[in-house]
Amino acid sequence: MIMQMKKYMLDLRIVENVRLHERAFLLRLTAEKPLPAMVAGQFVQVRIDGSPQTFLRRPISVNYVDKQRNTLWLLVQIAGDGTRWLSERLSGDIINVILPLGNGFTIPFGNTGDSLLLIGGGVGVAPLLFLGETLKSAGFKPIFLLGGRSKNDILQLPDFQRIGTIFITTEDGSAGEKGFVTNHSILREGRFGKIYTCGPKPMMLAVAHFAKENGIDCEVSLENMMACGIGACLCCVEKTVKGNLCVCIEGPVFNINQLTWQI
């Protein structure tokens, strides 16, 4: 369902730029007026200034919205010139963003006793923090399954811990269970009313396969390449049961039943 929320182009001031990892950092941004309403799973388009190679805006997931402090959090992985430029911004600098874009996760109605599992890999955990807070506010007790190559890749752990129960996998075994998130014992031992996931596509495919095999409703947040954020450039098209759809306006969140993945 398309939310049709009003979109804004705003100059936001950096409150803090925190390096979390050699390839990841957290921006906390604020505005003079209250920030527009946003929902978990939506994203923003950030303008990158000062370079002819970065004339396209960069899509970044909404990591968290702190209404009390009027701050928007963006968890960013350094992947090229644009994100490297962002990583070098300082407190007090202004960046221009368009927000909110896309459609978010679906919040269940009814039994708040259901176990809801949120699975993220690497920087793909970004939208799950705000989702977990939203689910907690709705009366649910979210369970997080976070994966990375090593313990250093498990980002924002204290923030996730204050929201719900945490399980971890690392490929090198330096934290939690050794292996991939889809091999964690919680998947064999737990019963879940719904699964949400975001991260590398192979991981999401494996999670979707597990959910379908076990009859569990599942939503995925796709990370297709996006340039415009408004459905004009068509570079983020995803094949669905309804035909080719632009992830930036129909997603980025989809129920796996909408997708044509071979799961």
Side-chain angles (χ1 to χ4, degrees):
M1 181 178 67
I2 299 176
M3 297 178 181
Q4 299 292 347
M5 295 175 71
K6 185 176 179 180
K7 300 170 180 59
Y8 301 82
M9 182 184 293
L10 300 175
D11 286 331
L12 301 183
R13 178 175 55 84
I14 297 177
V15 176
E16 193 174 21
N17 182 350
V18 182
R19 183 58 67 96
L20 302 179
H21 184 280
E22 62 181 7
R23 299 186 308 275
F25 60 97
L26 177 67
L27 288 178
R28 292 190 177 97
L29 309 169
T30 192
E32 293 182 3
K33 296 181 180 180
L35 290 166
M38 289 169 267
V39 298
Q42 290 186 305
F43 67 99
V44 307
Q45 289 278 94
V46 178
R47 190 178 72 203
I48 306 298
D49 297 325
S51 169
Q53 284 77 39
T54 56
F55 64 94
L56 294 174
R57 290 177 179 264
R58 297 303 191 265
I60 301 174
S61 296
V62 173
N63 176 227
Y64 190 72
V65 178
D66 188 332
K67 294 181 180 179
Q68 289 187 331
R69 293 177 174 82
N70 195 42
T71 56
L72 165 67
W73 298 13
L74 302 179
L75 177 62
V76 188
Q77 178 171 285
I78 300 173
D81 291 341
T83 47
R84 186 174 298 108
W85 179 89
L86 272 178
S87 74
E88 296 166 353
R89 298 310 95 197
L90 304 174
S91 298
D93 286 351
I94 301 296
I95 62 173
N96 183 269
V97 302
I98 298 175
L99 78 166
L101 297 170
N103 294 289
F105 294 101
T106 303
I107 307 304
F109 293 99
N111 185 11
T112 55
D114 284 346
S115 293
L116 305 181
L117 182 63
L118 286 62
I119 304 177
V123 180
V125 303
L128 302 184
L129 184 65
F130 192 23
L131 173 60
E133 179 71 27
T134 302
L135 292 171
K136 182 179 179 181
S137 297
F140 294 95
K141 295 180 179 179
I143 299 170
F144 297 100
L145 175 52
L146 310 177
R149 292 176 181 172
S150 74
K151 63 181 180 181
N152 295 328
D153 297 307
I154 306 300
L155 305 175
Q156 298 184 290
L157 187 56
D159 295 308
F160 283 104
Q161 287 173 329
R162 67 178 174 78
I163 293 173
T165 304
I166 311 295
F167 295 92
I168 292 172
T169 65
T170 51
E171 293 177 32
D172 66 358
S174 55
E177 294 187 10
K178 185 175 182 178
F180 301 112
V181 289
T182 46
N183 302 128
H184 198 285
S185 58
I186 188 66
L187 295 178
R188 299 188 298 272
E189 299 168 0
R191 296 179 62 85
F192 307 103
K194 187 161 186 169
I195 294 175
Y196 303 90
T197 187
C198 183
K201 189 171 182 179
M203 185 207 80
M204 291 195 292
L205 280 165
V207 171
H209 178 76
F210 169 84
K212 193 157 190 175
E213 274 200 330
N214 290 274
I216 303 171
D217 191 38
C218 179
E219 290 185 353
V220 299
S221 178
L222 301 187
E223 296 185 324
N224 296 30
M225 182 181 293
M226 301 180 197
C228 70
I230 56 173
C233 68
L234 303 181
C235 70
C236 67
V237 165
E238 179 77 19
K239 189 176 181 181
T240 76
V241 295
K242 295 183 178 180
N244 291 334
L245 298 178
C246 288
V247 169
C248 65
I249 55 174
E250 302 287 346
V253 176
F254 291 89
N255 192 287
I256 59 172
N257 294 327
Q258 297 174 271
L259 302 174
T260 59
W261 291 357
Q262 298 300 310
I263 55 177

Coordinates of all heavy atoms in Angstrom, one line a residue, residues 84-114:
R84 N 31.8 8.9 1.0 CA 33.1 9.3 1.6 C 33.0 10.8 1.9 O 33.5 11.3 3.0 CB 34.3 9.0 0.6 CG 35.6 9.4 1.3 CD 36.8 8.9 0.4 NE 36.8 7.5 0.2 CZ 36.4 6.9 -1.0 NH1 36.1 7.6 -2.0 NH2 36.4 5.6 -1.1
W85 N 32.4 11.6 1.0 CA 32.2 13.0 1.2 C 31.4 13.2 2.4 O 31.7 14.1 3.3 CB 31.6 13.7 0.0 CG 31.3 15.1 0.1 CD1 32.1 16.2 -0.2 CD2 30.1 15.7 0.6 NE1 31.5 17.4 0.0 CE2 30.3 17.1 0.5 CE3 28.9 15.2 1.0 CZ2 29.3 18.0 0.9 CZ3 27.9 16.1 1.4 CH2 28.1 17.5 1.3
L86 N 30.3 12.4 2.6 CA 29.4 12.6 3.7 C 30.2 12.2 5.0 O 30.0 12.9 6.0 CB 28.2 11.6 3.6 CG 27.0 12.1 2.9 CD1 25.9 11.0 2.8 CD2 26.4 13.4 3.6
S87 N 31.0 11.2 5.0 CA 31.8 10.8 6.2 C 32.7 11.9 6.7 O 33.1 11.9 7.8 CB 32.6 9.5 5.9 OG 33.7 9.8 5.1
E88 N 33.0 12.9 5.8 CA 34.0 13.9 6.2 C 33.3 15.2 6.7 O 33.9 16.1 7.1 CB 34.9 14.3 5.0 CG 35.8 13.1 4.6 CD 36.4 13.3 3.2 OE1 36.0 14.3 2.5 OE2 37.2 12.5 2.8
R89 N 31.9 15.2 6.7 CA 31.2 16.4 7.2 C 31.4 16.5 8.7 O 31.5 15.5 9.4 CB 29.7 16.3 6.8 CG 29.4 16.3 5.3 CD 30.1 17.3 4.5 NE 31.3 16.8 3.9 CZ 32.3 17.5 3.4 NH1 32.2 18.9 3.5 NH2 33.4 17.0 2.9
L90 N 31.3 17.7 9.2 CA 31.5 18.0 10.6 C 30.3 18.5 11.3 O 29.3 19.0 10.6 CB 32.6 19.0 10.7 CG 34.0 18.7 10.1 CD1 34.9 19.9 10.2 CD2 34.6 17.4 10.7
S91 N 30.2 18.5 12.6 CA 29.1 19.0 13.3 C 28.9 20.5 12.9 O 29.9 21.3 12.8 CB 29.4 19.0 14.8 OG 29.5 17.6 15.2
G92 N 27.7 20.9 12.7 CA 27.4 22.2 12.2 C 27.3 22.4 10.7 O 26.6 23.4 10.3
D93 N 27.8 21.4 10.0 CA 27.7 21.5 8.5 C 26.2 21.2 8.1 O 25.5 20.6 8.8 CB 28.5 20.4 7.8 CG 30.0 20.8 7.9 OD1 30.3 21.9 8.2 OD2 30.9 19.9 7.5
I94 N 25.8 21.8 7.0 CA 24.5 21.6 6.4 C 24.5 20.7 5.3 O 25.3 20.8 4.4 CB 23.9 23.0 6.0 CG1 23.9 24.0 7.2 CG2 22.5 22.8 5.4 CD1 23.0 23.6 8.3
I95 N 23.5 19.7 5.2 CA 23.4 18.9 4.1 C 21.9 19.0 3.7 O 21.0 19.1 4.5 CB 23.8 17.4 4.3 CG1 23.0 16.8 5.4 CG2 25.3 17.3 4.6 CD1 23.2 15.3 5.5
N96 N 21.7 18.9 2.4 CA 20.3 19.0 1.8 C 19.7 17.6 1.6 O 20.4 16.7 1.0 CB 20.3 19.8 0.5 CG 19.0 20.0 -0.1 OD1 18.5 19.2 -0.9 ND2 18.3 21.1 0.3
V97 N 18.5 17.4 2.0 CA 17.9 16.0 1.9 C 16.5 16.2 1.4 O 15.8 17.2 1.6 CB 17.9 15.3 3.2 CG1 19.3 15.1 3.8 CG2 17.0 15.9 4.2
I98 N 16.0 15.2 0.7 CA 14.6 15.0 0.3 C 14.0 13.9 1.2 O 14.6 12.8 1.2 CB 14.4 14.8 -1.2 CG1 14.9 15.9 -2.0 CG2 12.9 14.5 -1.5 CD1 14.9 15.6 -3.5
L99 N 12.9 14.1 1.8 CA 12.3 13.1 2.7 C 10.9 13.4 3.0 O 10.4 14.5 2.8 CB 13.1 13.1 4.1 CG 12.9 14.2 5.1 CD1 13.5 13.8 6.4 CD2 13.4 15.5 4.7
P100 N 10.1 12.4 3.5 CA 10.5 11.0 3.5 C 10.1 10.3 2.2 O 9.1 10.7 1.5 CB 9.6 10.4 4.6 CG 8.4 11.2 4.6 CD 8.8 12.6 4.1
L101 N 10.8 9.3 1.8 CA 10.6 8.7 0.5 C 10.3 7.2 0.7 O 10.8 6.5 1.6 CB 11.8 8.8 -0.4 CG 12.2 10.3 -0.8 CD1 13.5 10.3 -1.5 CD2 11.1 10.9 -1.7
G102 N 9.5 6.6 -0.2 CA 9.2 5.2 -0.2 C 8.1 4.8 0.8 O 7.5 5.7 1.5
N103 N 7.9 3.5 0.9 CA 6.9 3.0 1.9 C 7.6 2.1 2.9 O 8.7 1.5 2.6 CB 5.9 2.1 1.1 CG 5.1 2.9 0.2 OD1 4.2 3.7 0.6 ND2 5.3 2.8 -1.1
G104 N 7.1 2.1 4.1 CA 7.7 1.4 5.2 C 7.2 0.0 5.5 O 6.4 -0.5 4.7
F105 N 7.7 -0.5 6.6 CA 7.2 -1.8 7.1 C 5.8 -1.8 7.6 O 5.3 -0.8 8.0 CB 8.2 -2.3 8.2 CG 9.6 -2.6 7.8 CD1 10.6 -1.6 8.1 CD2 9.9 -3.7 7.1 CE1 11.9 -1.8 7.7 CE2 11.3 -4.0 6.7 CZ 12.2 -3.0 7.0
T106 N 5.2 -2.9 7.5 CA 3.8 -3.1 8.0 C 3.8 -3.5 9.5 O 4.5 -4.4 9.9 CB 3.0 -4.2 7.3 OG1 3.0 -3.8 5.9 CG2 1.6 -4.3 7.7
I107 N 3.1 -2.7 10.3 CA 3.0 -3.0 11.8 C 1.8 -3.9 12.0 O 0.7 -3.5 11.6 CB 2.9 -1.7 12.6 CG1 4.1 -0.8 12.2 CG2 3.0 -2.1 14.1 CD1 5.5 -1.3 12.4
P108 N 2.0 -5.1 12.6 CA 0.9 -6.0 12.8 C -0.2 -5.4 13.7 O 0.1 -4.6 14.6 CB 1.5 -7.2 13.4 CG 3.0 -7.1 13.2 CD 3.2 -5.6 13.1
F109 N -1.4 -5.9 13.5 CA -2.5 -5.6 14.4 C -2.8 -6.8 15.2 O -2.6 -7.9 14.8 CB -3.8 -5.2 13.6 CG -3.7 -3.9 12.9 CD1 -3.4 -3.8 11.5 CD2 -3.8 -2.7 13.6 CE1 -3.3 -2.6 10.9 CE2 -3.7 -1.5 12.9 CZ -3.4 -1.4 11.5
G110 N -3.3 -6.6 16.5 CA -3.7 -7.7 17.2 C -2.8 -8.2 18.3 O -2.3 -7.4 19.1
N111 N -2.4 -9.5 18.3 CA -1.8 -10.1 19.4 C -0.3 -9.6 19.6 O 0.6 -10.0 18.8 CB -1.7 -11.7 19.1 CG -1.2 -12.4 20.3 OD1 -0.9 -11.9 21.4 ND2 -0.9 -13.7 20.1
T112 N -0.1 -8.8 20.6 CA 1.2 -8.3 20.8 C 2.1 -9.3 21.5 O 3.3 -9.1 21.8 CB 1.2 -7.1 21.8 OG1 0.4 -7.4 22.9 CG2 0.5 -5.9 21.0
G113 N 1.5 -10.5 21.8 CA 2.4 -11.6 22.3 C 3.1 -12.3 21.2 O 4.0 -13.2 21.5
D114 N 2.8 -12.1 19.9 CA 3.6 -12.7 18.8 C 5.1 -12.3 18.9 O 5.4 -11.2 19.2 CB 3.0 -12.3 17.5 CG 1.7 -12.9 17.2 OD1 1.4 -13.9 17.8 OD2 1.0 -12.5 16.2

